[in-house]
Amino acid sequence: MAERLTLKDPYTEVRIFTARILVAAAIVVLCFCALLYRYADLQINQYEKYRTESERNRVQLQPLPPKRGLIYDRNGLILADNSPSYSLTVIKERVGDLNKALALVRSLVSIDDDDVDKFMERLGDRYPYQSVPLKFRLTEEEIAILSINRYRLPGMEVEAEFVRSYPHGELFAHALGYVGRISEKELKSLNPEQVLNYSGTHYMGKIGVERYYEDQLHGKVGYQNVETNARGRVLRVLERSEPTSGVDIELFLDAKLQQIAQEALGDNRGSVVAIDPKTGGILALVSTPAFDPNLFVTGISGPAYAALRDSPDMPLYNRALQGTYPPGSTMKPFYALAGLSYGVVTPTTRVSDPGFYQLPNDSRQYRDWRRGGHGSVDVRQAIEQSCDVFFYDLAHKLTIDRLHDFAAQFGFGEPTGIDNTSERGGVMPSREWKRKVKKVAWYPGETLSAGIGQGYVLATPLQLAVATATIANRGERFEPRLVKSVNGQVLPVPEARHIELPADIWKVVIEGMEDVVHGERGTAKTMGKTLTYRMAGKTGSAQVVGYAQGIKYDVSQVAKRKRDHAWFIAFAPIDDPKIAIAVLVENGEHGASAASPIAKKIADAYLLGIDAPLVPAGTDGEGVLE
Amino acid sequence: MKYGDYVRQMPAGTNELSRRRGVFERLHIDWILLGLLMALTAFGLIVLYSASDHSLPTVFKQGRFFLIAYCSMLVIAQLDLERIKRFAPWAYLGGLTLLLLVPVMGTIAKGAKRWLSIGGFQFQPSEVMKLAVPMAVAWYLAARILPPRLKHIVLALAIIFMPTLLVAAQPDLGTAILIAAAGSFVLLLAGLSWRYIAAAVAALAAAAYPLWEYVLHDYQRKRILTLLNPEEDKLGAGWNIIQSKTAIGSGGFYGKGWLQGTQSHLDFLPEGHTDFIIAVLSEEWGLRGVLFLLTLYLAIIVRGMWIAVHAQHCFGRLLAGSMVLTFFVYVFVNMGMVSGLLPVVGVPLPLISQGGTALVVLFAGFGLLMAIASEKRILSQ
């Protein structure tokens, strides 16, 4: 057999070999053709596709966040600033094993579990290759440690960004609100144009002025085309369109007055609102206790937030705007105006006060706050002494609907329209209101409660301040405003609403209020004696819980938190009102003793000049305003 | 009468006459092969300069490797083929011993145990086997009657697959493929019956499933899956393929220009100076560069085949043929994997990719080729 040769046959071998080599050569050529076809396909047929791909790799459109507008007080003191903050950010795609990387970085700088939890949440909603912050406000030492170990931390960067800072800490927390990181919910609520505008922004106003003026404060996003390498590092800027900074805002607020108001409230829970009656500009807006808004900017930790939320003192609660309290006797001047206006009383009408009031055909006695009564009083004296019986009678004669209609003109029962968020409107009841809301008919006795500012009547300190300013203006009611000018341009004052009343009606009521402070039997005469100018005011106390009739109201038996809230409203000087004030001290018991001295301090400071320098919290005398 | 023919007529080994032969011939240098290799080397260094991000030290380091490689090629070219043949089994046994030592005392790098450290000198025994295996198979078959009979085929396969499996187990699939290819080419060129070849192909196809299921490592399976659908895992295993295809495609016909490749210079391309260097070349030189490169490779392969066909003895013929075809496999696997035709295995682009040991081994192979080429002139019949 041919292939069973016993000897090597070189010629056969060469023949076979040559044939095989030729086959191999053919295969080689075929394979090279395949390679060439593959490369030609990529480089010619699909050239456009891959060129675009590589351009997209190379060039990135980056949003440039605008600088947020600053907020100043009326004297140019910065209340909300931007300061650089260094954050540790992570690009998940470049990290590799995320858990290992987190363990490593946590061994270098302290990052608590809460930060990690928040980070994991943020990691959930982001674009590929988007950097996600892990820890904010790095210290210089931490930045140094991270820089040294950078080679061990691929995908992690220390990024600088400007974040909001509030140099005065809690002083303006309730007036300004705060900014915080944009939440997923907020992002979803934006329209496409806004989404674009916020593409580089991480923060937005959450509440308060920061929220209300968000559109102005935010500014307009800019863009840059940058060449980046695969690690996302910017190598050069190809094209740039600058962002437009947000505009600065100037408030009516006077920082020093604000501080005096806060100090005057001291450890009390309460609120002060001071208004310039001529413009409706808010001079001071305080709610105590407050909180440090700086905590919220980069995200407050769970325990810290829980502590604020669960505190019985409710520091997050904006008492000035959201706190609806029975206004108590502070309603009396407004009701007096109503009675005089509708003619159910005249300036000379006298009512005899035996210490209680009884409705016709009703045995129930409605007590006066003074046992034994005030005797025979006219409207001016009724205001001066805060006579309950006079106003029971007046309310009974007016009926609740007329009380409601008249008080509504001063803004009771509806939000004032202040340029701030989450304002509440309180309640000015009427029969219709009760039918609608309570689904029950109105009882005549309820008119009497409402007549001394109790029962269903609820108002915020801001509403009372606005109403007081309206009396100070003899009927001109301005919408209250925190912001005076935007970008240096004074905002137009919303047109005032006029309450047309004869001048003598105003005169009688204002004289009554003047007597409250300066009269011999005025409820705030102790405070009034120390005044160097004329002030019109009205004290008030609002029951926290109702008490059964006949039981003597004993202070010592009532827990502190069940004591009456103390009110004082005032404006001064009487002839040329420059400031209108509403003071609320929760559980302060008596308007005269708890609330009126606070109003005096504020009015003094505003009218007589402020000599105390203002030292912002957390600074060493920097920013002192003379 | 041509000079060559004149020499051929003279009695062999005459001193005066051999002195009169050309310098290249005296130095056992195949000048066509040398010229092609030097052209590729130069082109490779130019590409490497760009691929290494303008790193002259990298280019100089590679230049030194080339120097060593060329020297070893020239030294090996001087060796007598008969001695190489006698040395072949010992080289194979030595290499096999070292391979067996790797799992025992090897060092781990990049997740695989490939390196052996002897006297402070680190090297991969698997690289040695790229030459030792075809030498051993050629040595074994050259002494047999060809085409080989079944028992010789079985023995030759044993010679091939013992080291192949050891290398694959390291795991180093790329090198294992090259070793298996080098040995198998000898068998194929020796005249392995087409029936056997068909049977082997059929057996391989039948073995594909168990191979996939039980032999391949997870990462190897992943590479194959990635090849089929790179978009599936854009940021993981698919990243390399997507980025290298982007680099190649965006080069177009003319290329972006030397040093102008964005994919490589902006670090989108991984392993741009080693296994994926063809992507850099394609991006910066375009299809023109690819054509030029393929032409040079093809010329080297054709010249190698010419040498093989003209070899005087069976051993040289088989060895030369095998080495040329192995060289082709290098080129094809590398260019195929970078362009997404083949799964990614660790095979460098010969003479262009940065790397030391592999380069020296490659040039040692060219040295053998030159030794074979000169043999035909010396031992003319």
Side-chain angles (χ1 to χ4, degrees):
Chain A
M1 284 154 101
E3 56 266 47
R4 298 246 169 176
L5 290 171
T6 45
L7 283 170
K8 272 178 84 69
D9 178 355
Y11 294 104
T12 312
E13 283 178 11
V14 169
R15 188 173 48 79
I16 293 172
F17 182 83
T18 312
R20 290 288 159 105
I21 279 287
L22 283 175
V23 171
I27 292 170
V28 166
V29 170
L30 265 175
C31 285
F32 270 35
C33 285
L35 279 182
L36 198 63
Y37 175 77
R38 175 66 172 177
Y39 278 75
D41 182 48
L42 291 175
Q43 298 191 293
I44 292 173
N45 294 345
Q46 302 189 56
Y47 168 65
E48 280 303 324
K49 173 188 160 192
Y50 286 114
R51 194 182 60 105
T52 317
E53 242 355 78
S54 96
E55 268 310 278
R56 198 184 303 158
N57 262 345
R58 179 176 78 96
V59 178
Q60 282 188 355
L61 193 65
Q62 288 189 334
L64 297 170
K67 180 178 136 321
R68 193 174 177 85
L70 305 180
I71 302 178
Y72 298 94
D73 87 334
R74 65 190 301 133
N75 299 310
L77 186 78
I78 289 192
L79 307 183
D81 200 357
N82 299 317
S83 58
S85 162
Y86 296 89
S87 321
L88 176 63
T89 64
V90 178
I91 297 178
K92 192 184 166 219
E93 281 77 6
R94 312 223 192 275
V95 167
D97 187 336
L98 187 63
N99 289 329
K100 266 191 199 162
L102 283 180
L104 174 62
V105 77
R106 291 181 77 173
S107 70
L108 297 170
V109 295
S110 85
I111 298 171
D112 56 37
D113 291 342
D114 200 57
D115 286 334
V116 175
D117 290 348
K118 286 243 168 66
F119 166 74
M120 288 299 184
E121 260 173 46
R122 284 192 285 265
L123 213 53
D125 48 283
R126 83 208 156 98
Y127 318 106
Y129 287 91
Q130 194 187 347
S131 69
V132 176
L134 172 58
K135 185 179 161 84
F136 297 97
R137 297 182 194 273
L138 295 170
T139 63
E140 282 187 17
E141 195 189 335
E142 286 170 331
I143 295 169
I145 291 171
L146 290 169
S147 306
I148 292 167
N149 291 285
R150 190 169 159 183
Y151 70 99
R152 296 163 68 191
L153 302 166
M156 295 198 183
E157 296 276 348
V158 173
E159 276 181 24
E161 64 175 346
F162 277 97
V163 298
R164 206 50 149 180
S165 74
Y166 301 100
H168 303 280
E170 63 176 38
L171 184 54
F172 296 95
H174 288 299
L176 294 182
Y178 51 80
V179 300
R181 289 193 74 83
I182 301 173
S183 71
E184 202 182 344
K185 211 173 113 195
E186 284 164 333
L187 206 61
K188 277 180 185 150
S189 72
L190 299 176
N191 65 40
E193 202 178 310
Q194 286 172 315
V195 167
L196 207 66
N197 200 24
Y198 278 85
S199 49
T201 310
H202 299 129
Y203 303 93
M204 74 189 303
K206 295 280 178 175
I207 59 167
V209 169
E210 292 271 29
R211 171 82 197 153
Y212 194 90
Y213 290 96
E214 173 65 24
D215 290 346
Q216 289 91 326
L217 288 166
H218 178 263
K220 207 168 171 326
V221 72
Y223 284 97
Q224 63 178 5
N225 256 327
V226 292
E227 189 176 271
T228 58
N229 66 11
R231 284 180 294 281
R233 184 145 305 147
V234 175
L235 302 178
R236 80 197 147 106
V237 176
L238 304 172
E239 195 187 340
R240 191 177 162 99
S241 112
E242 293 294 334
T244 312
S245 296
V247 295
D248 294 347
I249 280 180
E250 190 195 334
L251 302 182
F252 282 108
L253 274 185
D254 185 319
K256 282 189 288 184
L257 204 63
Q258 178 88 355
Q259 190 170 39
I260 284 160
Q262 196 195 34
E263 280 167 5
L265 275 168
D267 293 336
N268 289 306
R269 283 166 284 113
S271 171
V272 168
V273 178
I275 294 185
D276 176 0
K278 296 208 166 65
T279 57
I282 305 273
L283 300 171
L285 189 145
V286 177
S287 171
T288 55
F291 57 91
D292 183 358
N294 290 305
L295 292 175
F296 286 85
V297 175
T298 49
I300 189 167
S301 73
Y305 180 70
L308 286 174
R309 184 193 56 204
D310 301 337
S311 162
D313 292 339
M314 300 197 286
L316 297 176
Y317 183 49
N318 190 340
R319 290 169 166 79
L321 271 62
Q322 293 176 291
T324 53
Y325 303 86
S329 301
T330 55
M331 284 304 281
K332 286 172 182 168
F334 306 101
Y335 291 157
L337 287 169
L340 292 164
S341 153
Y342 284 112
V344 299
V345 290
T346 66
T348 54
T349 306
R350 298 194 79 84
V351 170
S352 175
D353 171 13
F356 61 89
Y357 182 78
Q358 271 181 309
L359 283 171
N361 311 320
D362 191 346
S363 62
R364 183 177 159 138
Q365 291 188 345
Y366 293 87
R367 335 181 248 124
D368 195 291
W369 64 271
R370 167 182 278 184
R371 294 209 311 160
H374 298 276
S376 172
V377 292
D378 63 11
V379 66
R380 188 171 158 177
Q381 288 165 320
I383 294 172
E384 177 191 16
Q385 299 169 29
S386 198
C387 173
D388 286 344
V389 168
F390 183 94
F391 285 95
Y392 286 141
D393 185 54
L394 184 141
H396 174 63
K397 286 172 179 160
L398 263 180
T399 72
I400 188 65
D401 286 344
R402 285 201 284 182
L403 273 182
H404 165 269
D405 293 348
F406 190 85
Q409 295 183 74
F410 286 81
F412 289 103
E414 61 173 17
T416 62
I418 189 178
D419 48 350
N420 204 310
T421 55
S422 50
E423 188 199 2
R424 290 171 71 180
V427 177
M428 189 61 222
S430 65
R431 282 186 300 178
E432 193 194 345
W433 171 85
K434 199 180 174 200
R435 237 189 349 264
K436 262 192 195 159
V437 177
K438 302 279 178 189
K439 318 256 187 253
V440 202
W442 186 263
Y443 300 116
E446 290 169 343
T447 307
L448 301 193
S449 294
I452 56 162
Q454 295 282 161
Y456 294 118
V457 186
L458 292 172
T460 64
L462 176 67
Q463 280 178 315
L464 273 167
V466 170
T468 308
T470 309
I471 293 186
N473 282 343
R474 277 78 172 167
E476 221 179 357
R477 183 176 135 212
F478 287 101
E479 222 172 73
R481 278 280 170 274
L482 279 158
V483 172
K484 183 179 176 186
S485 67
V486 168
N487 205 19
Q489 282 186 305
V490 176
L491 292 178
V493 176
E495 211 173 306
R497 273 173 274 193
H498 289 277
I499 303 169
E500 288 301 334
L501 291 177
D504 60 323
I505 291 184
W506 290 114
K507 188 165 169 282
V508 172
V509 172
I510 290 171
E511 277 169 0
M513 288 176 78
E514 186 175 2
D515 291 345
V516 168
V517 181
H518 300 284
E520 255 173 55
R521 302 185 70 181
T523 50
K525 63 173 192 260
T526 318
M527 180 272 281
K529 277 175 192 152
T530 61
L531 286 179
T532 56
Y533 48 88
R534 302 297 277 183
M535 176 191 269
K538 183 70 196 79
T539 56
S541 55
Q543 276 176 21
V544 176
V545 283
Y547 298 102
Q549 241 185 341
I551 292 176
K552 179 145 181 350
Y553 168 20
D554 183 50
V555 173
S556 62
Q557 283 176 9
V558 181
K560 170 95 168 120
R561 281 180 195 275
K562 287 181 178 172
R563 289 180 197 163
D564 288 354
H565 296 322
W567 278 106
F568 190 70
I569 59 171
F571 65 89
I574 291 172
D575 297 334
D576 177 24
K578 289 193 163 63
I579 185 168
I581 304 166
V583 177
L584 167 83
V585 179
E586 279 187 18
N587 312 118
E589 246 183 312
H590 300 297
S593 57
S596 77
I598 295 172
K600 173 188 147 58
K601 280 181 193 164
I602 295 159
D604 276 357
Y606 191 68
L607 298 174
L608 307 177
I610 304 159
D611 36 25
L614 181 77
V615 182
T619 61
D620 300 320
E622 217 182 314
V624 171
L625 201 79
E626 283 306 316
Chain B
M1 185 180 271
K2 280 185 185 164
Y3 173 72
D5 295 337
Y6 175 73
V7 172
R8 212 166 282 146
Q9 286 184 342
M10 299 304 292
T14 311
N15 278 342
E16 299 100 289
L17 286 173
S18 63
R19 231 177 272 125
R20 282 161 62 187
R21 278 179 291 147
V23 175
F24 284 121
E25 239 165 287
R26 249 187 294 155
L27 288 175
H28 294 189
I29 290 171
D30 186 281
W31 66 268
I32 296 176
L33 194 54
L34 184 70
L36 290 169
L37 288 176
M38 287 176 75
L40 255 181
T41 305
F43 189 40
L45 288 176
I46 291 169
V47 175
L48 183 65
Y49 177 70
S50 178
S52 63
D53 232 348
H54 312 185
S55 163
L56 269 180
T58 307
V59 174
F60 281 134
K61 191 175 158 202
Q62 186 68 0
R64 279 199 297 280
F65 276 128
F66 270 121
L67 213 62
I68 296 168
Y70 275 99
C71 288
S72 61
M73 176 179 79
L74 293 180
V75 168
I76 289 170
Q78 310 313 311
L79 297 177
D80 178 14
L81 200 62
E82 196 57 32
R83 278 166 72 182
I84 293 172
K85 184 175 157 186
R86 274 190 310 237
F87 176 67
W90 303 109
Y92 177 80
L93 286 176
L96 199 61
T97 313
L98 291 175
L99 265 186
L100 284 167
L101 285 177
V102 168
V104 185
M105 49 187 282
T107 49
I108 294 173
K110 287 188 185 174
K113 226 174 193 183
R114 298 172 185 172
W115 299 82
L116 210 54
S117 180
I118 292 175
F121 181 71
Q122 284 206 333
F123 75 108
Q124 298 185 40
S126 53
E127 288 294 331
V128 177
M129 292 315 263
K130 282 184 190 170
L131 289 181
V133 166
M135 275 165 68
V137 180
W139 163 81
Y140 177 72
L141 290 180
R144 315 283 164 238
I145 292 162
L146 299 180
R149 284 196 256 162
L150 185 59
K151 75 170 184 189
H152 301 140
I153 294 169
V154 171
L155 247 158
L157 285 175
I159 294 173
I160 297 166
F161 283 100
M162 271 191 298
T164 300
L165 291 176
L166 283 172
V167 173
Q170 285 178 349
D172 185 351
L173 197 60
T175 311
I177 287 173
L178 288 172
I179 292 171
S184 306
F185 285 139
V186 179
L187 210 49
L188 291 172
L189 293 172
L192 182 66
S193 157
W194 289 113
R195 274 185 307 179
Y196 286 130
I197 296 172
V201 170
L204 216 66
Y209 176 74
L211 199 71
W212 174 266
E213 200 68 2
Y214 303 111
V215 179
L216 286 183
H217 285 259
D218 273 345
Y219 82 96
Q220 289 163 336
R221 273 200 289 264
K222 202 168 167 189
R223 280 178 184 178
I224 294 170
L225 287 177
T226 303
L227 174 83
L228 299 175
N229 189 7
E231 308 292 323
E232 190 101 309
D233 187 10
K234 266 189 172 160
L235 302 174
W239 169 268
N240 290 12
I241 290 295
I242 292 172
Q243 295 305 332
S244 68
K245 275 165 74 178
T246 306
I248 295 167
S250 66
F253 183 78
Y254 297 100
K256 293 177 184 169
W258 187 52
L259 306 179
Q260 304 298 312
T262 54
Q263 284 289 102
S264 45
H265 290 292
L266 300 176
D267 294 338
F268 286 96
L269 194 65
E271 305 284 333
H273 53 286
T274 55
D275 287 1
F276 280 70
I277 199 164
I278 183 69
V280 180
L281 186 150
S282 307
E283 186 185 18
E284 297 189 348
W285 300 74
L287 191 60
R288 294 188 298 179
V290 175
L291 267 171
F292 176 67
L293 188 77
L294 279 178
T295 309
L296 279 179
Y297 279 140
L298 194 63
I300 288 173
I301 291 166
V302 168
R303 180 62 185 170
M305 286 178 167
W306 191 88
I307 291 172
V309 169
H310 289 83
Q312 293 299 302
H313 287 103
C314 190
F315 173 72
R317 201 155 46 219
L318 293 175
L319 186 57
S322 157
M323 276 178 319
V324 167
L325 291 178
T326 308
F327 179 75
F328 156 74
V329 169
Y330 261 107
V331 176
F332 183 70
V333 169
N334 180 274
M335 287 182 68
M337 79 183 194
V338 176
S339 62
L341 274 182
L342 301 172
V344 176
V345 288
V347 173
L349 186 65
L351 291 104
I352 311 285
S353 285
Q354 190 197 5
T357 322
L359 196 72
V360 174
V361 171
L362 202 63
F363 270 82
F366 286 121
L368 286 174
L369 216 53
M370 288 191 180
I372 294 161
S374 36
E375 178 208 36
K376 85 170 191 260
R377 296 195 178 91
I378 299 163
L379 301 173
S380 51
Q381 302 297 306

PDB file of all heavy atoms in Angstrom, chain A residues 293-304:
ATOM      1  N   PRO A 293     -30.515  77.152  60.242  1.00  0.00           N
ATOM      2  CA  PRO A 293     -30.839  76.742  58.864  1.00  0.00           C
ATOM      3  C   PRO A 293     -29.637  76.134  58.143  1.00  0.00           C
ATOM      4  O   PRO A 293     -29.814  75.403  57.166  1.00  0.00           O
ATOM      5  CB  PRO A 293     -31.277  78.046  58.191  1.00  0.00           C
ATOM      6  CG  PRO A 293     -30.683  79.128  59.013  1.00  0.00           C
ATOM      7  CD  PRO A 293     -30.588  78.604  60.414  1.00  0.00           C
ATOM      8  N   ASN A 294     -28.416  76.431  58.628  1.00  0.00           N
ATOM      9  CA  ASN A 294     -27.234  75.857  57.976  1.00  0.00           C
ATOM     10  C   ASN A 294     -27.265  74.328  57.991  1.00  0.00           C
ATOM     11  O   ASN A 294     -26.704  73.687  57.117  1.00  0.00           O
ATOM     12  CB  ASN A 294     -25.962  76.343  58.668  1.00  0.00           C
ATOM     13  CG  ASN A 294     -25.719  77.823  58.407  1.00  0.00           C
ATOM     14  OD1 ASN A 294     -25.663  78.259  57.263  1.00  0.00           O
ATOM     15  ND2 ASN A 294     -25.626  78.602  59.469  1.00  0.00           N
ATOM     16  N   LEU A 295     -27.940  73.782  59.009  1.00  0.00           N
ATOM     17  CA  LEU A 295     -28.018  72.323  59.119  1.00  0.00           C
ATOM     18  C   LEU A 295     -28.737  71.703  57.932  1.00  0.00           C
ATOM     19  O   LEU A 295     -28.483  70.565  57.555  1.00  0.00           O
ATOM     20  CB  LEU A 295     -28.778  71.927  60.390  1.00  0.00           C
ATOM     21  CG  LEU A 295     -28.118  72.215  61.724  1.00  0.00           C
ATOM     22  CD1 LEU A 295     -29.071  71.869  62.854  1.00  0.00           C
ATOM     23  CD2 LEU A 295     -26.833  71.407  61.850  1.00  0.00           C
ATOM     24  N   PHE A 296     -29.654  72.460  57.342  1.00  0.00           N
ATOM     25  CA  PHE A 296     -30.507  71.882  56.308  1.00  0.00           C
ATOM     26  C   PHE A 296     -29.892  71.958  54.917  1.00  0.00           C
ATOM     27  O   PHE A 296     -30.349  71.290  54.007  1.00  0.00           O
ATOM     28  CB  PHE A 296     -31.865  72.585  56.293  1.00  0.00           C
ATOM     29  CG  PHE A 296     -32.733  72.193  57.451  1.00  0.00           C
ATOM     30  CD1 PHE A 296     -32.610  72.827  58.673  1.00  0.00           C
ATOM     31  CD2 PHE A 296     -33.651  71.165  57.319  1.00  0.00           C
ATOM     32  CE1 PHE A 296     -33.395  72.452  59.739  1.00  0.00           C
ATOM     33  CE2 PHE A 296     -34.441  70.790  58.380  1.00  0.00           C
ATOM     34  CZ  PHE A 296     -34.318  71.425  59.605  1.00  0.00           C
ATOM     35  N   VAL A 297     -28.877  72.801  54.781  1.00  0.00           N
ATOM     36  CA  VAL A 297     -28.382  73.089  53.427  1.00  0.00           C
ATOM     37  C   VAL A 297     -27.866  71.838  52.734  1.00  0.00           C
ATOM     38  O   VAL A 297     -28.318  71.484  51.655  1.00  0.00           O
ATOM     39  CB  VAL A 297     -27.310  74.190  53.469  1.00  0.00           C
ATOM     40  CG1 VAL A 297     -26.727  74.395  52.080  1.00  0.00           C
ATOM     41  CG2 VAL A 297     -27.896  75.476  54.002  1.00  0.00           C
ATOM     42  N   THR A 298     -26.917  71.156  53.365  1.00  0.00           N
ATOM     43  CA  THR A 298     -26.360  69.977  52.708  1.00  0.00           C
ATOM     44  C   THR A 298     -27.045  68.702  53.154  1.00  0.00           C
ATOM     45  O   THR A 298     -26.614  67.613  52.826  1.00  0.00           O
ATOM     46  CB  THR A 298     -24.849  69.869  52.959  1.00  0.00           C
ATOM     47  OG1 THR A 298     -24.617  70.035  54.356  1.00  0.00           O
ATOM     48  CG2 THR A 298     -24.115  70.940  52.188  1.00  0.00           C
ATOM     49  N   GLY A 299     -28.122  68.843  53.904  1.00  0.00           N
ATOM     50  CA  GLY A 299     -28.846  67.639  54.322  1.00  0.00           C
ATOM     51  C   GLY A 299     -28.622  67.384  55.800  1.00  0.00           C
ATOM     52  O   GLY A 299     -27.508  67.087  56.216  1.00  0.00           O
ATOM     53  N   ILE A 300     -29.658  67.514  56.568  1.00  0.00           N
ATOM     54  CA  ILE A 300     -29.549  67.337  58.014  1.00  0.00           C
ATOM     55  C   ILE A 300     -29.536  65.850  58.325  1.00  0.00           C
ATOM     56  O   ILE A 300     -30.152  65.048  57.628  1.00  0.00           O
ATOM     57  CB  ILE A 300     -30.731  68.053  58.710  1.00  0.00           C
ATOM     58  CG1 ILE A 300     -30.533  68.084  60.219  1.00  0.00           C
ATOM     59  CG2 ILE A 300     -32.074  67.417  58.339  1.00  0.00           C
ATOM     60  CD1 ILE A 300     -31.501  69.036  60.921  1.00  0.00           C
ATOM     61  N   SER A 301     -28.796  65.469  59.341  1.00  0.00           N
ATOM     62  CA  SER A 301     -28.723  64.047  59.686  1.00  0.00           C
ATOM     63  C   SER A 301     -30.038  63.621  60.332  1.00  0.00           C
ATOM     64  O   SER A 301     -30.750  64.445  60.921  1.00  0.00           O
ATOM     65  CB  SER A 301     -27.563  63.805  60.645  1.00  0.00           C
ATOM     66  OG  SER A 301     -27.882  64.304  61.916  1.00  0.00           O
ATOM     67  N   GLY A 302     -30.334  62.361  60.224  1.00  0.00           N
ATOM     68  CA  GLY A 302     -31.583  61.822  60.761  1.00  0.00           C
ATOM     69  C   GLY A 302     -31.812  62.162  62.228  1.00  0.00           C
ATOM     70  O   GLY A 302     -32.857  62.729  62.578  1.00  0.00           O
ATOM     71  N   PRO A 303     -30.860  61.857  63.092  1.00  0.00           N
ATOM     72  CA  PRO A 303     -31.073  62.135  64.521  1.00  0.00           C
ATOM     73  C   PRO A 303     -31.252  63.629  64.800  1.00  0.00           C
ATOM     74  O   PRO A 303     -32.111  64.016  65.608  1.00  0.00           O
ATOM     75  CB  PRO A 303     -29.786  61.623  65.170  1.00  0.00           C
ATOM     76  CG  PRO A 303     -29.187  60.683  64.194  1.00  0.00           C
ATOM     77  CD  PRO A 303     -29.617  61.127  62.835  1.00  0.00           C
ATOM     78  N   ALA A 304     -30.472  64.465  64.119  1.00  0.00           N
ATOM     79  CA  ALA A 304     -30.584  65.905  64.359  1.00  0.00           C
ATOM     80  C   ALA A 304     -31.960  66.400  63.937  1.00  0.00           C
ATOM     81  O   ALA A 304     -32.579  67.226  64.614  1.00  0.00           O
ATOM     82  CB  ALA A 304     -29.496  66.651  63.585  1.00  0.00           C
TER      83      ALA A 304
END
